[in-house]
Amino acid sequence: MQETGDRFSEWFDRILREAEIYDYGRYPVKGMGVWMPYGFALRKNILDIVRKELDSTGHEEVLFPMLIPEDLLIKEEEHIKGFRDEVYWVTHGGLDELDVKLALRPTSETSISYMESFWLNSYKQLPKKYYQIVSIFRYETKSTRPLLRLREVTTFKEAHTAHSSFEDADRQVKEAIEIYSRIFDQLGIPYIISKRPDFDKFAGALYTVAFDTIFPDGRVLQIGTVHHLGQSFTKPIDVKIMLSDESIDYVWQTSYGISDRVVASVIAIHGDERGAVIPFRVAPIQAIIIPIYFNEEEKKAVMEYAKSIERQLRECGYRVKLDDREEMTPGKKYYDWELRGVPVRVEVGKREVSSGSVVLARRDLLKRKSTSSSSICSELSLLGEDIDRNLSERARERLSSRIKKAEKLEEAKAYEEQKGIIEVPWCGRDECALKAQEITGLKALGSPLESPSWINGAKCPVCGREAKTSLRLAKTY
Ligand code: P5A
Ligand code: ZN
């Protein structure tokens, strides 16, 4: 049921604009778009989940300046090597050339570490977990795509944590993985978690764990990453604390981030040929009420009844809207709200007025059923849960059907046609992952966190050594 697959790219760009989510390509700066009211509301509801998960796990929200002085941004060598080509620089204030160039933050490890050098001085303060939700800027050179590869990432949720030992930072990586899993689960976005090969880790990290999902066109999108930063930033930026044995050491850190790609995934993964299908939990409008009448007399009774249904649902706490546009037919309205992915349509006509009922139509399965208006709140609650469960399940099934195992790289190459992720035995060495990329033309996503049992006794198809884990390969965004 993924009719959006073949011409996905076209579908996605069209839905973003026609559903009035994100207006992209018309604003006169490449890689930057505009959140429109409906999209902004969706983004906000998603961010509410993100905030709830972070706040309840001891993360504290902060807000750092957008500009980072050059001498600070370049302090960590690997970091700046990784980001050098992507930084936007502010060089002038008015007509004056600045003494020190200022970077539009591409991410905030350096500026947050810098302030931590003042804020942190004892192990007693740790662990410390900060996060912010901000715009970041990356001069992306791969082709830019709405929400998927932006030059201004407007929904960058970055968390930065500080610890007194390697092990505690390691533990934090695990907590972050759990938090992101819960966030994606609530949005019905299926994912696989991979430890990235060393050559693809975050610039400055000891290691990187990534969440990937598969889009309808079969390409893989990285939807979040968690990094163990070791002491890479705290050494050059001099973030030191006193430990319990009174010795002085540099702080250990992690960072993890998600972006606009999360909103993009909600749209892309659940959508169908009629448009978006937004999960009930985050839908800006959870139920749209459509009055149906054929003459003035009917109109009066139907509208009055529709308003009472609207009031009732609103009092129960639902986000509802009554579509009272006069110049538009009900059929046209159905089309309009289906495109925007409103999960439930409430139809009320003459028959419903006289029997005290409503028709509930669910967007995911396009099924309708009649229910008494007296139980509409509890019916809607059950229906909303069922929609979200169904969306999650069908997305998860689709993802698992697109992951295949192979013993040889030739099979991986053949599988590329079928679209998805192919997993092969792997000795764990970078050079073999690089070779595998070269041979298959696919990208190495890395390996599962726990070595899978199916590789026992298998050989790395590149070098013939014994496999220690598996390597996932896919065509990526
Ligand atoms: C972690 C947070 C970082 O920047 N510093 C703070 C770390 N990691 S990252 O992998 O580089 O980015 C985190 C996630 O952001 C998404 N992302 C993007 N989304 C849209 N457009 C972009 N240009 C873009 N760049 C990164 C990815 O999902 C990435 O995992
Ligand atoms: Zn090998």
Side-chain angles (χ1 to χ4, degrees), residues 124-239:
K124 290 179 186 160
Q125 294 169 280
L126 304 184
K128 199 84 198 163
K129 310 174 200 175
Y130 300 114
Y131 76 97
Q132 60 177 1
I133 301 176
V134 294
S135 274
I136 57 151
F137 297 83
R138 294 183 182 176
Y139 183 69
E140 295 279 0
T141 43
K142 251 177 138 181
S143 66
T144 47
R145 292 291 318 278
L147 302 183
L148 302 177
R149 180 163 279 105
L150 295 165
R151 286 183 170 175
E152 180 183 4
V153 183
T154 63
T155 315
F156 197 65
K157 191 292 300 161
E158 48 177 331
H160 296 266
T161 69
H163 308 268
S164 50
S165 67
F166 171 92
E167 291 74 23
D168 200 53
D170 233 17
R171 183 203 49 73
Q172 188 60 40
V173 166
K174 295 198 181 83
E175 182 186 88
I177 292 171
E178 281 166 18
I179 293 170
Y180 282 1
S181 300
R182 284 200 295 273
I183 292 171
F184 293 132
D185 287 345
Q186 287 172 67
L187 299 170
I189 301 173
Y191 48 84
I192 56 158
I193 301 170
S194 303
K195 182 158 184 268
R196 287 279 187 258
D198 264 354
F199 56 82
D200 196 29
K201 63 188 187 185
F202 180 67
L206 295 186
Y207 68 86
T208 289
V209 174
F211 284 73
D212 293 301
T213 194
I214 305 181
F215 263 32
D217 58 359
R219 284 165 79 187
V220 162
L221 181 73
Q222 172 179 300
I223 48 173
T225 35
V226 183
H227 318 289
H228 192 312
L229 300 176
Q231 297 171 314
S232 306
F233 290 89
T234 57
K235 280 183 178 167
I237 298 175
D238 207 29
V239 190

Side-chain angles (χ1 to χ4, degrees), residues 63-77:
L63 185 55
F64 274 68
M66 187 180 287
L67 299 176
I68 303 176
E70 180 180 27
D71 48 341
L72 179 55
L73 189 69
I74 66 174
K75 277 240 158 88
E76 208 289 319
E77 222 170 297

Side-chain angles (χ1 to χ4, degrees), residues 426-427 429 432 460 462-465:
W426 183 34
C427 63
R429 297 180 315 141
C432 286
C460 172
V462 181
C463 68
R465 285 184 172 85

